[in-house]
Amino acid sequence: SQTIHQWPATLVQPVGSPLSLECTVEGTSNPNLYWYRQAAGRGLQLLFYSVGIGQISSEVPQNLSASRPQDRQFILSSKKLLLSDSGFYLCAWSRGGRLAEAFFGQGTRLTVV
Amino acid sequence: RKEVEQDPGPFNVPEGATVAFNCTYSNSASQSFFWYRQDCRKEPKLLMSVYSSGNEDGRFTAQLNRASQYISLLIRDSKLSDSATYLCVVIRAGNNRKLIWGLGTSLAVNP
């Protein structure tokens, strides 16, 4: 069966510090991978998605970047965090080759102070 | 107008009640539809897919109305544990296919 791991679960970082969130998927190959952000009481905002190694599509201009160094690894990064980067970050995967339902990791609750 | 719209609620219902949510979508070429459940401060979890013929899973029934461009979720015999936010998702067809998320409908089932 497929599983998705995302860590850490919570993170408190000072303004201006770097960020690296990692997500890995097991039990499938060539998945579509996604990073979402959800502000408190708000909907899901798609940040990045990837259909293969090194292929990243950015949905909104922002202070963040994403990389996919391996087939089942997706990393969200920032060089300098802003207060507005606080939120609930969710990694998700769906079956590659077609657009299908997505399955989420546990999420990372990031607070920038 | 948002591409996928849901009544945010909250819906407050007593245990045992039947409750229904609708979700409207604006792109007539949308091809796949899903309902997710999200508990407070947790990740969304797939509840069920929505098929043209409608589908049922225990107390939950999902239906698709392509003519009126909406999907629905019916919950029978509500339990306290059904309290959550219910998100609808639509997959847009064509060259710009992607998952489009509604903002969710909040349900509170009260004892």
Short mmCIF file of all heavy atoms in Angstrom, two decimals, chain A residues 99, chain B residues 1-5 23-33 64-71 89-101:
data_model
loop_
_atom_site.label_atom_id
_atom_site.label_comp_id
_atom_site.label_asym_id
_atom_site.label_seq_id
_atom_site.Cartn_x
_atom_site.Cartn_y
_atom_site.Cartn_z
N LEU A 99 -4.75 12.52 -13.81
CA LEU A 99 -5.09 13.36 -12.67
C LEU A 99 -6.17 12.66 -11.89
O LEU A 99 -7.25 12.38 -12.41
CB LEU A 99 -5.56 14.73 -13.16
CG LEU A 99 -5.25 15.91 -12.26
CD1 LEU A 99 -3.83 15.87 -11.76
CD2 LEU A 99 -5.48 17.20 -13.01
N ARG B 1 -16.41 34.92 -9.70
CA ARG B 1 -17.04 33.70 -9.18
C ARG B 1 -15.99 32.59 -9.10
O ARG B 1 -15.23 32.38 -10.03
CB ARG B 1 -18.17 33.27 -10.11
CG ARG B 1 -18.90 32.03 -9.62
CD ARG B 1 -19.91 31.53 -10.65
NE ARG B 1 -20.49 30.27 -10.22
CZ ARG B 1 -21.23 29.50 -11.01
NH1 ARG B 1 -21.47 29.87 -12.25
NH2 ARG B 1 -21.73 28.38 -10.57
N LYS B 2 -15.97 31.89 -7.96
CA LYS B 2 -15.01 30.80 -7.83
C LYS B 2 -15.43 29.62 -8.71
O LYS B 2 -16.61 29.41 -8.97
CB LYS B 2 -14.95 30.35 -6.37
CG LYS B 2 -14.27 31.35 -5.45
CD LYS B 2 -14.12 30.78 -4.07
CE LYS B 2 -13.24 31.66 -3.19
NZ LYS B 2 -13.71 33.03 -3.09
N GLU B 3 -14.45 28.85 -9.14
CA GLU B 3 -14.72 27.72 -10.02
C GLU B 3 -15.46 26.61 -9.27
O GLU B 3 -16.26 25.88 -9.86
CB GLU B 3 -13.42 27.18 -10.59
CG GLU B 3 -13.59 26.19 -11.70
CD GLU B 3 -12.32 25.92 -12.48
OE1 GLU B 3 -11.35 26.70 -12.37
OE2 GLU B 3 -12.29 24.92 -13.21
N VAL B 4 -15.21 26.47 -7.99
CA VAL B 4 -15.92 25.49 -7.16
C VAL B 4 -16.41 26.22 -5.91
O VAL B 4 -15.62 26.86 -5.22
CB VAL B 4 -14.98 24.34 -6.75
CG1 VAL B 4 -15.67 23.39 -5.78
CG2 VAL B 4 -14.51 23.58 -7.99
N GLU B 5 -17.71 26.14 -5.67
CA GLU B 5 -18.28 26.89 -4.55
C GLU B 5 -19.05 25.98 -3.60
O GLU B 5 -19.79 25.07 -4.04
CB GLU B 5 -19.22 27.98 -5.07
CG GLU B 5 -18.48 29.07 -5.83
CD GLU B 5 -19.26 30.38 -5.92
OE1 GLU B 5 -19.23 31.14 -4.95
OE2 GLU B 5 -19.87 30.61 -6.97
N CYS B 23 -22.27 21.26 -3.76
CA CYS B 23 -21.06 21.92 -4.23
C CYS B 23 -21.28 22.19 -5.72
O CYS B 23 -21.57 21.27 -6.48
CB CYS B 23 -19.86 20.99 -4.01
SG CYS B 23 -18.35 21.49 -4.85
N THR B 24 -21.19 23.44 -6.12
CA THR B 24 -21.40 23.78 -7.53
C THR B 24 -20.06 24.06 -8.21
O THR B 24 -19.11 24.54 -7.58
CB THR B 24 -22.30 25.02 -7.68
OG1 THR B 24 -21.68 26.12 -7.00
CG2 THR B 24 -23.67 24.77 -7.08
N TYR B 25 -20.00 23.72 -9.48
CA TYR B 25 -18.78 23.97 -10.25
C TYR B 25 -19.15 24.68 -11.54
O TYR B 25 -20.23 24.49 -12.09
CB TYR B 25 -18.02 22.66 -10.53
CG TYR B 25 -18.79 21.62 -11.29
CD1 TYR B 25 -18.67 21.52 -12.68
CD2 TYR B 25 -19.62 20.71 -10.65
CE1 TYR B 25 -19.38 20.56 -13.40
CE2 TYR B 25 -20.33 19.76 -11.36
CZ TYR B 25 -20.21 19.70 -12.72
OH TYR B 25 -20.91 18.74 -13.43
N SER B 26 -18.24 25.50 -12.02
CA SER B 26 -18.58 26.36 -13.16
C SER B 26 -18.07 25.83 -14.50
O SER B 26 -18.59 26.22 -15.54
CB SER B 26 -18.04 27.77 -12.93
OG SER B 26 -16.63 27.74 -12.79
N ASN B 27 -17.06 24.96 -14.48
CA ASN B 27 -16.48 24.46 -15.72
C ASN B 27 -17.23 23.20 -16.16
O ASN B 27 -17.10 22.15 -15.54
CB ASN B 27 -15.00 24.16 -15.52
CG ASN B 27 -14.29 23.82 -16.82
OD1 ASN B 27 -14.90 23.33 -17.76
ND2 ASN B 27 -13.00 24.09 -16.88
N SER B 28 -18.01 23.32 -17.22
CA SER B 28 -18.85 22.20 -17.65
C SER B 28 -18.03 21.01 -18.13
O SER B 28 -18.55 19.90 -18.24
CB SER B 28 -19.80 22.66 -18.76
OG SER B 28 -19.05 23.13 -19.88
N ALA B 29 -16.74 21.22 -18.43
CA ALA B 29 -15.90 20.12 -18.90
C ALA B 29 -15.23 19.38 -17.75
O ALA B 29 -14.41 18.48 -17.98
CB ALA B 29 -14.85 20.65 -19.86
N SER B 30 -15.54 19.72 -16.51
CA SER B 30 -14.95 19.03 -15.36
C SER B 30 -15.25 17.55 -15.45
O SER B 30 -16.34 17.15 -15.84
CB SER B 30 -15.50 19.59 -14.05
OG SER B 30 -15.19 20.97 -13.93
N GLN B 31 -14.22 16.74 -15.07
CA GLN B 31 -14.38 15.33 -15.37
C GLN B 31 -14.44 14.40 -14.19
O GLN B 31 -14.98 13.30 -14.32
CB GLN B 31 -13.23 14.90 -16.30
CG GLN B 31 -11.86 15.07 -15.68
CD GLN B 31 -10.75 14.67 -16.68
OE1 GLN B 31 -9.97 15.50 -17.09
NE2 GLN B 31 -10.72 13.42 -17.03
N SER B 32 -13.89 14.77 -13.06
CA SER B 32 -13.90 13.88 -11.89
C SER B 32 -14.21 14.70 -10.66
O SER B 32 -13.86 15.88 -10.58
CB SER B 32 -12.55 13.18 -11.72
OG SER B 32 -12.23 12.41 -12.85
N PHE B 33 -14.84 14.02 -9.69
CA PHE B 33 -15.35 14.74 -8.53
C PHE B 33 -15.14 13.89 -7.28
O PHE B 33 -15.29 12.66 -7.32
CB PHE B 33 -16.85 15.02 -8.70
CG PHE B 33 -17.19 15.65 -10.02
CD1 PHE B 33 -17.43 14.85 -11.14
CD2 PHE B 33 -17.26 17.02 -10.15
CE1 PHE B 33 -17.73 15.42 -12.37
CE2 PHE B 33 -17.55 17.60 -11.38
CZ PHE B 33 -17.79 16.80 -12.49
N LEU B 64 -23.96 13.20 -8.51
CA LEU B 64 -23.48 14.19 -9.47
C LEU B 64 -24.64 14.59 -10.36
O LEU B 64 -25.34 13.73 -10.90
CB LEU B 64 -22.35 13.58 -10.32
CG LEU B 64 -21.94 14.33 -11.58
CD1 LEU B 64 -21.36 15.70 -11.24
CD2 LEU B 64 -20.93 13.50 -12.38
N ASN B 65 -24.83 15.87 -10.53
CA ASN B 65 -25.84 16.39 -11.46
C ASN B 65 -25.10 17.25 -12.48
O ASN B 65 -24.78 18.42 -12.24
CB ASN B 65 -26.87 17.23 -10.69
CG ASN B 65 -28.02 17.68 -11.58
OD1 ASN B 65 -27.80 18.11 -12.72
ND2 ASN B 65 -29.24 17.59 -11.08
N ARG B 66 -24.80 16.63 -13.63
CA ARG B 66 -24.02 17.35 -14.65
C ARG B 66 -24.82 18.47 -15.28
O ARG B 66 -24.27 19.51 -15.63
CB ARG B 66 -23.55 16.37 -15.73
CG ARG B 66 -22.38 15.51 -15.31
CD ARG B 66 -21.72 14.85 -16.52
NE ARG B 66 -20.64 13.97 -16.14
CZ ARG B 66 -19.39 14.36 -15.96
NH1 ARG B 66 -19.06 15.64 -16.11
NH2 ARG B 66 -18.46 13.49 -15.62
N ALA B 67 -26.11 18.28 -15.43
CA ALA B 67 -26.94 19.30 -16.09
C ALA B 67 -26.91 20.61 -15.29
O ALA B 67 -26.81 21.71 -15.85
CB ALA B 67 -28.36 18.79 -16.25
N SER B 68 -27.00 20.49 -13.98
CA SER B 68 -27.01 21.67 -13.12
C SER B 68 -25.64 21.97 -12.53
O SER B 68 -25.48 22.94 -11.79
CB SER B 68 -28.02 21.48 -11.99
OG SER B 68 -29.32 21.30 -12.51
N GLN B 69 -24.68 21.12 -12.86
CA GLN B 69 -23.27 21.32 -12.46
C GLN B 69 -23.13 21.43 -10.94
O GLN B 69 -22.62 22.45 -10.41
CB GLN B 69 -22.66 22.53 -13.18
CG GLN B 69 -22.54 22.31 -14.67
CD GLN B 69 -21.85 23.43 -15.43
OE1 GLN B 69 -21.99 23.56 -16.63
NE2 GLN B 69 -21.09 24.26 -14.74
N TYR B 70 -23.59 20.41 -10.27
CA TYR B 70 -23.31 20.33 -8.83
C TYR B 70 -23.15 18.89 -8.41
O TYR B 70 -23.62 17.96 -9.06
CB TYR B 70 -24.38 21.05 -8.00
CG TYR B 70 -25.71 20.34 -7.90
CD1 TYR B 70 -25.93 19.38 -6.90
CD2 TYR B 70 -26.75 20.62 -8.77
CE1 TYR B 70 -27.14 18.74 -6.78
CE2 TYR B 70 -27.97 19.99 -8.65
CZ TYR B 70 -28.16 19.05 -7.67
OH TYR B 70 -29.38 18.41 -7.56
N ILE B 71 -22.45 18.72 -7.30
CA ILE B 71 -22.36 17.42 -6.64
C ILE B 71 -22.93 17.57 -5.24
O ILE B 71 -22.96 18.69 -4.69
CB ILE B 71 -20.92 16.85 -6.60
CG1 ILE B 71 -20.00 17.74 -5.77
CG2 ILE B 71 -20.38 16.68 -7.99
CD1 ILE B 71 -18.62 17.13 -5.53
N VAL B 89 -13.95 18.51 -4.37
CA VAL B 89 -12.83 18.66 -5.30
C VAL B 89 -13.30 18.30 -6.69
O VAL B 89 -13.97 17.28 -6.88
CB VAL B 89 -11.65 17.75 -4.92
CG1 VAL B 89 -10.46 18.01 -5.84
CG2 VAL B 89 -11.27 17.96 -3.48
N VAL B 90 -12.92 19.11 -7.65
CA VAL B 90 -13.29 18.89 -9.04
C VAL B 90 -12.00 18.84 -9.85
O VAL B 90 -11.10 19.65 -9.63
CB VAL B 90 -14.19 20.04 -9.53
CG1 VAL B 90 -14.41 19.95 -11.03
CG2 VAL B 90 -15.51 20.04 -8.77
N ILE B 91 -11.93 17.89 -10.76
CA ILE B 91 -10.76 17.84 -11.65
C ILE B 91 -11.17 18.46 -12.97
O ILE B 91 -12.10 18.00 -13.63
CB ILE B 91 -10.24 16.42 -11.85
CG1 ILE B 91 -9.70 15.89 -10.52
CG2 ILE B 91 -9.14 16.41 -12.91
CD1 ILE B 91 -9.06 14.53 -10.61
N ARG B 92 -10.48 19.53 -13.31
CA ARG B 92 -10.77 20.25 -14.53
C ARG B 92 -10.26 19.45 -15.72
O ARG B 92 -9.17 18.89 -15.68
CB ARG B 92 -10.08 21.60 -14.46
CG ARG B 92 -10.34 22.54 -15.59
CD ARG B 92 -9.29 23.62 -15.57
NE ARG B 92 -9.46 24.58 -14.49
CZ ARG B 92 -8.51 25.42 -14.12
NH1 ARG B 92 -7.34 25.40 -14.70
NH2 ARG B 92 -8.73 26.27 -13.14
N ALA B 93 -11.00 19.41 -16.79
CA ALA B 93 -10.59 18.67 -17.98
C ALA B 93 -9.76 19.56 -18.91
O ALA B 93 -9.61 20.75 -18.66
CB ALA B 93 -11.83 18.17 -18.72
N GLY B 94 -9.23 18.96 -19.94
CA GLY B 94 -8.53 19.72 -20.95
C GLY B 94 -7.05 19.89 -20.68
O GLY B 94 -6.48 19.19 -19.85
N ASN B 95 -6.43 20.82 -21.37
CA ASN B 95 -4.99 21.00 -21.28
C ASN B 95 -4.55 21.55 -19.93
O ASN B 95 -3.39 21.40 -19.54
CB ASN B 95 -4.50 21.95 -22.38
CG ASN B 95 -4.65 21.35 -23.76
OD1 ASN B 95 -4.57 20.13 -23.91
ND2 ASN B 95 -4.90 22.18 -24.75
N ASN B 96 -5.43 22.18 -19.22
CA ASN B 96 -5.07 22.78 -17.94
C ASN B 96 -5.69 22.00 -16.81
O ASN B 96 -6.27 22.55 -15.88
CB ASN B 96 -5.51 24.25 -17.90
CG ASN B 96 -4.86 24.99 -16.74
OD1 ASN B 96 -3.85 24.55 -16.20
ND2 ASN B 96 -5.48 26.08 -16.35
N ARG B 97 -5.55 20.67 -16.87
CA ARG B 97 -6.18 19.84 -15.86
C ARG B 97 -5.53 20.05 -14.50
O ARG B 97 -4.31 20.09 -14.39
CB ARG B 97 -6.08 18.38 -16.25
CG ARG B 97 -6.88 18.01 -17.49
CD ARG B 97 -6.88 16.53 -17.72
NE ARG B 97 -5.54 15.98 -17.75
CZ ARG B 97 -5.26 14.74 -17.41
NH1 ARG B 97 -6.22 13.92 -17.00
NH2 ARG B 97 -4.03 14.30 -17.47
N LYS B 98 -6.32 20.18 -13.51
CA LYS B 98 -5.81 20.27 -12.15
C LYS B 98 -6.95 20.03 -11.18
O LYS B 98 -8.12 20.07 -11.55
CB LYS B 98 -5.17 21.63 -11.90
CG LYS B 98 -6.11 22.80 -12.09
CD LYS B 98 -5.38 24.13 -12.13
CE LYS B 98 -4.71 24.48 -10.84
NZ LYS B 98 -4.12 25.84 -10.88
N LEU B 99 -6.57 19.78 -9.92
CA LEU B 99 -7.56 19.63 -8.86
C LEU B 99 -7.99 21.02 -8.39
O LEU B 99 -7.16 21.84 -8.05
CB LEU B 99 -6.95 18.88 -7.68
CG LEU B 99 -6.63 17.40 -7.91
CD1 LEU B 99 -5.27 17.06 -7.36
CD2 LEU B 99 -7.68 16.55 -7.23
N ILE B 100 -9.29 21.27 -8.39
CA ILE B 100 -9.83 22.53 -7.92
C ILE B 100 -10.60 22.25 -6.63
O ILE B 100 -11.54 21.47 -6.63
CB ILE B 100 -10.78 23.18 -8.95
CG1 ILE B 100 -10.12 23.24 -10.33
CG2 ILE B 100 -11.19 24.56 -8.47
CD1 ILE B 100 -8.90 24.12 -10.39
N TRP B 101 -10.21 22.93 -5.56
CA TRP B 101 -10.77 22.67 -4.24
C TRP B 101 -11.81 23.71 -3.85
O TRP B 101 -11.59 24.91 -4.05
CB TRP B 101 -9.66 22.68 -3.19
CG TRP B 101 -8.71 21.55 -3.34
CD1 TRP B 101 -7.67 21.46 -4.23
CD2 TRP B 101 -8.72 20.32 -2.61
NE1 TRP B 101 -7.03 20.25 -4.07
CE2 TRP B 101 -7.65 19.54 -3.10
CE3 TRP B 101 -9.52 19.81 -1.58
CZ2 TRP B 101 -7.36 18.26 -2.60
CZ3 TRP B 101 -9.23 18.54 -1.09
CH2 TRP B 101 -8.16 17.79 -1.60
#
